[in-house]
Amino acid sequence: MVDIWGDIPFSEANKLDADNNGYPKFDKSEDIYPALFKMLSSGIADLTNTTATNKVIPSGDDVIYAGNKAKWLRAAKTLKLKLLNQVRLVQDVSGQVNIPSDSLIQSGEDFEFVYHSKSTPDERNPGFLDYEAGQRGDYMSPWFYEILKGYNPEIFTGIVDPRIPYYFYNQLKKTQDPREGNPTEYRDGGFVSIVFGSISKNRDHATDGSMTVHGVYPVGGRYDDGGGAKVTGNHGTGAAPYRFITYADRLYIQAELANVGLIADNNYFKTALAASFKQVDHVVTLVNPAAALTAQAAPPTMWVPTAVAPVPPAAATTGWKVIDYIAKVTALYDAASTVKKLEYIMTEKWISQFGCNADTWTDNRRTGFPIVFNPLNPAQAPGGELISPYDGFVIPVTLINPVPWTVVWPTIELSLNPNSPAQKDPGTFKVFYDKH
């Protein structure tokens, strides 16, 4: 909540019964973070308390780790490392971030909430509900898509990310006539979307049956096999987890800390890359057990070998594409400056976190990376325009509103709480660690 809103009610929150305080004050973001560290330390102490009596160990009612205390300890320490990393630009954390890797989240124990495929009661990933919606409005980012396709001239140019068919499902075939249905704005083959900040004449046309939707990885939807089909609730299971902190996230955090000299490097970036691809396989396993998808075979494994890459049995296999991608990105990283390495780390972390991107916004605000699309950036939208790669359609973008530093406070909170501040200007109001 601090990362999203900045100042929030904290020290006086939830004290209606004890103190009859229905109007909590708003605490400063810089005052809340130290309290969070104390709470984490207290929780860690509780988990390591060997003298407590009447201990009750949860099992089935613990929906994260099923009562595994060791995993909870590693998750708590990883969360602490994450928060320390987020404040590293405004305070000295050098003595606190050297946490042994074996004390942190390990491979196969991501801190995540696992959704299921039942629809009554609904236990599916909320993002999957867009598959059943009569009107769809969750557009995929063309900027993000172009980075994965290797179109971006500044980063990963010419390197195609093999995660694309796991991340996006195109309801149109690549060769399908673009004039079918309503006019579209941004199209590249089967990929159809609208641009952030667009004010084009085609922006508001209904494209429910042609727009690209989330795929199997982020929401438990459909793997893109190129067949093209209008999706329904039968084209997936919705059993993709919400990923709070993954093993890959932990490695990217350590890669960032190593890059700025706060910890020793242990090949964290390359290990994180491999973990990101293995993470896709993990999600696919949860989403598609025993051919649970309708009218579609199980997505292929990404196959991330731990040994040196062998001679590929067939260059077209998904596994070889992964090996090739990791090799190319690692080569760029090894040859890069410290600043460029930070951009590579943050961009790959962003790609890995697709569908659970709250931390990406935090990373962008505090470091400037990953670089995301900003309509006000003339290098990204020359003359306030973009060009669709498929048909040359000109897409004008708004040049009025700046990208916000924080989310505005809810109006109902400000109107009902006399101790709340005046509404902020989100274009200038920052969280205390945002120094970019």
Side-chain angles (χ1 to χ4, degrees):
M1 292 176 72
V2 171
D3 295 342
I4 294 171
W5 282 282
D7 301 350
I8 57 169
F10 178 75
S11 62
E12 295 181 355
N14 297 326
K15 292 190 175 182
L16 181 60
D17 292 337
D19 299 335
N20 196 30
N21 182 1
Y23 308 110
K25 68 176 183 178
F26 278 54
D27 293 287
K28 296 292 184 182
S29 60
E30 59 264 35
D31 295 331
I32 298 174
Y33 252 64
L36 301 181
F37 286 119
K38 289 181 181 179
M39 292 169 70
L40 278 168
S41 296
S42 176
I44 291 170
D46 283 343
L47 285 169
T48 55
N49 186 345
T50 59
T51 62
T53 58
N54 299 321
K55 291 184 289 186
V56 177
I57 304 299
S59 54
D61 47 349
D62 172 6
V63 297
I64 307 294
Y65 288 132
N68 189 311
K69 187 171 69 171
K71 291 181 179 179
W72 273 111
L73 271 170
R74 289 192 286 271
K77 292 179 180 179
T78 305
L79 177 57
K80 195 169 188 178
L81 182 70
K82 169 185 178 290
L83 298 184
L84 287 168
N85 184 48
Q86 288 180 187
V87 303
R88 67 173 179 82
L89 294 174
V90 295
Q91 68 185 65
D92 182 7
V93 298
S94 57
Q96 300 169 275
V97 293
N98 275 287
I99 302 174
S101 289
D102 59 4
S103 298
L104 302 171
I105 288 174
Q106 302 297 300
S107 177
E109 51 185 50
D110 295 342
F111 184 33
E112 63 185 10
F113 181 86
V114 176
Y115 287 100
H116 300 281
S117 59
K118 286 178 60 178
S119 59
T120 307
D122 207 326
E123 298 178 353
R124 298 170 297 178
N125 187 303
F128 179 74
L129 302 185
D130 209 38
Y131 273 55
E132 297 182 336
Q135 290 183 315
R136 298 188 174 100
D138 200 356
Y139 289 94
M140 304 299 103
S141 164
W143 176 261
F144 182 71
Y145 166 79
E146 288 188 353
I147 291 177
L148 270 60
K149 286 289 288 186
Y151 294 167
N152 191 293
E154 299 296 328
I155 189 165
F156 304 148
T157 308
I159 304 176
V160 179
D161 196 313
R163 289 169 285 194
I164 291 174
Y166 297 83
Y167 280 25
F168 309 116
Y169 180 76
N170 298 324
Q171 296 186 90
L172 296 184
K173 297 179 181 179
K174 289 183 179 181
T175 57
Q176 198 164 340
D177 190 335
R179 292 169 295 183
E180 291 184 23
N182 288 327
T184 59
E185 175 182 283
Y186 181 99
R187 183 169 182 186
D188 181 50
F191 184 88
V192 174
S193 191
I194 63 174
V195 171
F196 176 66
S198 168
I199 52 174
S200 85
K201 64 180 181 180
N202 288 352
R203 181 192 65 181
D204 298 326
H205 286 294
T207 54
D208 304 296
S210 60
M211 63 185 284
T212 296
V213 296
H214 280 114
V216 62
Y217 177 65
V219 303
R222 184 164 181 162
Y223 171 80
D224 188 43
D225 57 5
K230 184 175 180 179
V231 297
T232 69
N234 291 325
H235 290 119
T237 65
Y242 187 88
R243 294 163 271 117
F244 297 114
I245 306 179
T246 66
Y247 173 58
D249 292 338
R250 172 215 128 181
L251 292 166
Y252 285 120
I253 291 170
Q254 289 178 299
E256 178 186 347
L257 291 168
N259 183 59
V260 297
L262 288 175
I263 64 173
D265 199 350
N266 191 24
N267 205 21
Y268 290 120
F269 180 68
K270 186 174 182 179
T271 308
L273 279 175
S276 295
F277 283 96
K278 188 175 181 181
Q279 185 172 287
V280 174
D281 277 346
H282 162 66
V283 172
V284 167
T285 300
L286 294 175
V287 169
N288 190 37
L293 297 182
T294 299
Q296 186 188 25
T301 177
M302 301 217 77
W303 182 60
V304 183
T306 56
V308 176
V311 175
T317 64
T318 305
W320 175 246
K321 291 178 183 178
V322 173
I323 297 169
D324 185 56
Y325 179 88
I326 291 177
K328 289 178 178 177
V329 171
T330 302
L332 289 175
Y333 179 83
D334 290 341
S337 66
T338 300
V339 173
K340 195 66 177 179
K341 282 181 177 179
L342 182 61
E343 181 179 2
Y344 290 146
I345 293 166
M346 294 310 205
T347 304
E348 285 293 349
K349 183 181 177 186
W350 173 32
I351 295 171
S352 178
Q353 290 180 333
F354 181 57
C356 306
N357 288 122
D359 288 341
T360 298
W361 189 32
T362 297
D363 290 341
N364 170 266
R365 288 175 294 164
R366 66 185 179 83
T367 70
F369 300 121
I371 296 175
V372 296
F373 179 68
N374 182 354
L376 299 179
N377 186 336
Q380 297 178 345
E385 295 178 341
L386 286 87
I387 308 297
S388 176
Y390 187 80
D391 55 7
F393 179 75
V394 178
I395 307 169
V397 294
T398 180
L399 301 176
I400 299 175
N401 297 318
V403 176
W405 285 95
T406 51
V407 172
V408 296
W409 291 304
T411 302
I412 192 170
E413 174 73 21
L414 303 187
S415 63
L416 295 179
N417 184 353
N419 291 326
S420 62
Q423 185 59 275
K424 69 176 76 166
D425 177 356
T428 59
F429 192 98
K430 298 182 178 184
V431 181
F432 74 100
Y433 53 66
D434 290 334
K435 296 302 180 182
H436 171 64

